[in-house]
Structures are given as structure tokens and as C-alpha cells.
Amino acid sequence: DGTTLVDNQATTVSHVPLTQVNASDSYAAGSFNGIFAGVRDITSSLKSGKLAGLVNLRDDVLPGMQAQIDQLASSLEQQVNQVSNQGTAAVPASINNITGSTQFMAPSTQNVTFSGGTTNVVLYDSSGKEIASSAILDPAGINFTNGGSLSSLASSMQTWLQAQDPQLANATVSFNAKGQMAVNLGTDSISVGFIDEQSATKGSGQSDVSVGLDLNGDGQTDTTTQGFSNFFGLNDFFTSAPNVSQWSSGLKPANYTLTTTSAQTLQFSDSANPTGIPGGTVTVNPTDSLQTIAAAINSNAALSGIIQAIVVPEGGGQRLVVRDVLGNQLAVTQAGGTSAVTALGLAQANNGLSQTLAVNQTLVNDSSLLPSGAIQLDPVTGKFVVGSSDNTIALKLANLMTSQVSVSAAGSLPAGNITFGDYAGSIVAQSSSQTAVAQTNLQQATALQSSVQNQQATISGVNLDQEMSQLLVYQHSYAAAAKVISTTQQLFDALTNMVN
């Protein structure tokens, strides 16, 4: 690109590598140091050769593969957990101390709304028979006010639990330091379960309720999750360590522009400012590119030093990545709606999730707690019951492994509906294809190199036969010249003698 590499003074090429790298690191984000010629960063100027190949591998090929594996892990976790949270462990397993996996930023200010069905909290004994049950919104039971805070929901549930049995006098429902809901009955003889039904009528049939969450307490529903237990992660099969301080858009084409019909306002909140970072709003306009949106976020003085936005290339496309540089849990919302957030596909980032995905440690420690069955209604007594040999959820989980599920675009794989096995196969096939292409290119480059070397040898090399013949010619010429000189010397000697 015009950078002088060779001159009368040497140009030092330098690079300081990282000692440790994680899935969220990228050159575009400034995580990697540049390759410098003197004081100039030439990383983006490398177009060919080994250095360019290594940089392309680091910044394009491997991140694309990482995104595909993370997408597989994320889909697997979400789909399996949604099913497992519909069930509960078979009796006589005791479910009396549960900590959800979902981390909420600020339970006291984040509000929750239930719709599309009814959630029942069920208490049952060691034989699986109902002791008491209540719908979340039942005025005569738990009596939670729809749209109230997460903390008020926990308080309502705790009050109801403590009133159902003397053994539950010390039962607690609260949120721990990570913002996870924790339910502790304080007794081993009573268990708790959750069932979502189509209506307030007992036995109306299992159907996940829609749970809307207001992330920043402005009265606007920002995200929706299917299933009460799934929303809190109370009965998860898989767990992971999500990157709660980073959000990213969906994978967008290089020429992407925002598709909203009018200007929208993005809002930024974190655990240090749960109702919004003061002054931390950014206006985005229709046809804005990801680069334009990132620049608008980074130019906001109130967000400086707290929020950083970057555009990261991936598999021929790009993503908008927004992160809290202080490491606080982050939430990105929109004033008065979700059109811009939806269009961008902004959500908590899943990069690196495949590295932490694991079976819930509770299930690893005690497999009897596996949620294989479901809470059902006994038509004779009109009460809920948990069986000892119910395999309803186990069958659903088995069927899920062969069913098509929705996956988002990642790396160079498109969005669509596909089975987990086929998606994993696509990742392996693509990796094999790229390997084959690389090997072919290497063979061609090696053959070209050999050809050039042969041509160079033809021009600059020595032909021994030709040189030997030339040597013989020179040798005979020397002998002939010596004979001429010898004869001439004899003539001069004869002439001298005649004179004398």
C-alpha cells in the first residue's frame, strides 16, 4: 500500500502477541495488537504470503467456525431447556431447594408480565400428591400483580409458601448476588414444581406461558420468553456461563442498513445504572449502516468509558457488538418499542458459549432429579399429581434430537430450520471443504514455486557438458597459441643468430 519496507535504513517489523485469547477477542475490537512496520500498523495491508494467511485464519476463518459452534450450543441449550423446564423429577425425588440459571440485572426494578396462559406453583408430598397449589396471578393465592417487579413476585411467592404448611414457615424465595431466583422450602418432606396451562382451569393442558420482561423499568416489555420455569431457568438440563456484559446483533450482510420506518432511540442500562445510564441514549435512523450506528454510540459522551460499540467481520458478513467495558451486566433497549432492536437482532451475545456449556451440575450429582416427567391433573381428586414412572418429558427430549429447530445465521452458514445432527454435520463438512481447498491451493502454489525455481536454474545454472566442451576448446586454443609463440621465438632466435 506504499509503506516502505526496504530503504537505506532498516524498517523493524514487530508484533506483541497476547498470552491468552478468548472467543470475544478480535482485531476489530482492538483485542489483538497490530503488526507494525516501524510505527505503522500494516495488519490490514497484508494481502498475500504466510503472514496474510495467518491473519486471515485468526480474524475470519476461526471466528466464523467459533460462531457456528456457539450457535449450535446456544440452540441446543435453549431448545432442550425449554422442554426440561416443562417437567419435574419423578417421586420420591425431593425438589425443595432450587436456584435458577437466569441472571437478572436488577430484580427490584425489572418488571415482568405473564400472558397466554396460567402458571401454577404446586406443592406436593413424597408420594407426589398435591398439598397446595396456586396460580401466580390468583388473588386468593400468590396474588402477584401482573407487571410488577421480579422482587415483588418473589415476595408474593414466599408469603404464599409460608402460609401453606407449618414446615414451610421458613421457606424463602429471593434473588442471590448474581440475580438468580432461589427457592428454598426449608424441608425435605415437601417438594415444589411449576406447570404452565392453557387457561386458569385446572387440567386445561400444558402450554408455555409468555413471560415479558421490562429490562430497564420503563414500563416497556423488551424481551419475551416462553415458559415460567424456563424464564427463570429453574429446571435447566444444560447450564453455561453467558457473557452478560456483551450484546451483539444478528449476522448482517456487508451492505446492511437499518430497516425501521422512522428514527428510533436506543437506551443503555447496566447493573450500575439499571434504569438507564444518564444521558446514554442514541438515535438511529432508517438506512443507517452498522458502522454509522457504532460511531453514534461511541460519540456519545455519557457512554464514553462505559459502553463501546464495534463492527466485527464474520463469514463474509458483519455483526454490531456492544459491550460494557467495565464488565457490568448490560441491557440494550429501545424507547417506546422494539422495532430497531428486532431489526438489528440485538441480544445477549453467545460467543464462547460452547466452551462453557455443560449438563446442570445438580443433575450430574443426582440423576434422580432429571426432569423426565410432568405435573398432571388427577381427574378423580381434581388435584395435581407427580408420578413415579412418567416419561412425558423424556420422550419430548428424545424427539427433540431428531426434530428440526430454528437456527440463526452464523459464520458462513445461513439461518433456517435444521436438526442438531445435520447442523453439526454442516460445520464438519464446511471445515473439511475449507481444508481440502487449502490443500489444493498449497499443492498449486508448491508446483508453481517448483516451476519458477526450475526456470531460475535454467537461466542462472551451469551446464557441465557445455562447460567441459568449452574448456577443451580453451585448452586446445591455449596449446595452439603456445605453439605459435614457441615457433615465433625460434624464428627470432634464428634471425638473431644470422645477424650475429
Side-chain angles (χ1 to χ4, degrees), residues 179-196:
Q180 299 164 316
M181 175 178 272
V183 181
N184 189 346
L185 300 185
T187 177
D188 293 336
S189 60
I190 298 177
S191 295
V192 61
F194 309 90
I195 178 173
D196 292 346

Side-chain angles (χ1 to χ4, degrees), residues 31 48 58 219 264 323 355 396 432:
S31 307
S48 62
R58 182 195 69 184
Q264 305 295 331
R323 63 181 182 178
Q355 296 173 281
K396 283 187 176 183
S432 300

Side-chain angles (χ1 to χ4, degrees), residues 64-129:
M65 291 182 176
Q66 176 76 53
Q68 293 164 7
I69 296 174
D70 287 339
Q71 177 59 51
L72 173 61
S74 176
S75 296
L76 184 65
E77 181 183 34
Q78 292 174 11
Q79 297 291 335
V80 170
N81 283 349
Q82 183 170 354
V83 173
S84 70
N85 275 287
Q86 295 171 0
T88 190
V91 294
S94 180
I95 311 296
N96 54 71
N97 190 356
I98 310 172
T99 299
S101 64
T102 307
Q103 299 180 38
F104 295 97
M105 188 172 68
S108 62
T109 60
Q110 292 179 310
N111 302 321
V112 62
T113 304
F114 303 99
S115 61
T118 298
T119 297
N120 292 287
V121 179
V122 182
L123 296 172
Y124 56 94
D125 59 23
S126 58
S127 65
K129 295 180 180 179

Side-chain angles (χ1 to χ4, degrees), residues 331-456:
V332 183
T333 58
Q334 177 186 325
T338 60
S339 58
V341 172
T342 301
L344 290 168
L346 277 172
Q348 193 173 91
N350 66 8
N351 54 316
L353 185 144
S354 57
Q355 296 173 281
T356 62
L357 185 68
V359 175
N360 192 329
Q361 190 60 44
T362 300
L363 303 180
V364 173
N365 295 338
D366 186 356
S367 60
S368 69
L369 300 179
L370 184 70
S372 57
I375 298 174
Q376 299 180 8
L377 184 72
D378 184 342
V380 177
T381 62
K383 292 187 176 183
F384 290 116
V385 63
V386 177
S388 59
S389 59
D390 184 7
N391 63 354
T392 303
I393 302 303
L395 290 175
K396 283 187 176 183
L397 289 173
N399 292 334
L400 182 62
M401 293 301 102
T402 57
S403 302
Q404 290 192 336
V405 298
S406 176
V407 296
S408 301
S412 54
L413 292 179
N417 295 318
I418 191 171
T419 66
F420 292 124
D422 287 344
Y423 190 81
S426 297
I427 296 175
V428 175
Q430 186 181 75
S431 176
S432 300
S433 176
Q434 289 178 317
T435 300
V437 170
Q439 289 174 339
T440 299
N441 291 339
L442 176 61
Q443 292 172 354
Q444 293 175 347
T446 302
L448 178 60
Q449 180 188 35
S450 178
S451 175
V452 171
Q453 286 176 335
N454 289 335
Q455 292 180 14
Q456 181 188 28

Side-chain angles (χ1 to χ4, degrees), residues 260-332:
T260 56
T261 57
S262 59
Q264 305 295 331
T265 301
L266 295 181
Q267 303 169 322
F268 301 89
S269 308
D270 63 12
S271 50
N273 302 276
T275 57
I277 298 172
T281 58
V282 173
T283 299
V284 294
N285 301 291
T287 73
D288 275 356
S289 67
L290 296 187
Q291 287 77 7
T292 302
I293 296 173
I297 295 172
N298 292 331
S299 63
N300 185 306
L303 298 176
S304 179
I306 304 175
I307 304 298
Q308 179 193 38
I310 51 178
V311 178
V312 178
E314 179 184 311
Q318 56 186 358
R319 291 183 190 269
L320 173 66
V321 176
V322 183
R323 63 181 182 178
D324 190 302
V325 297
L326 301 178
N328 294 321
Q329 185 170 351
L330 174 66
V332 183

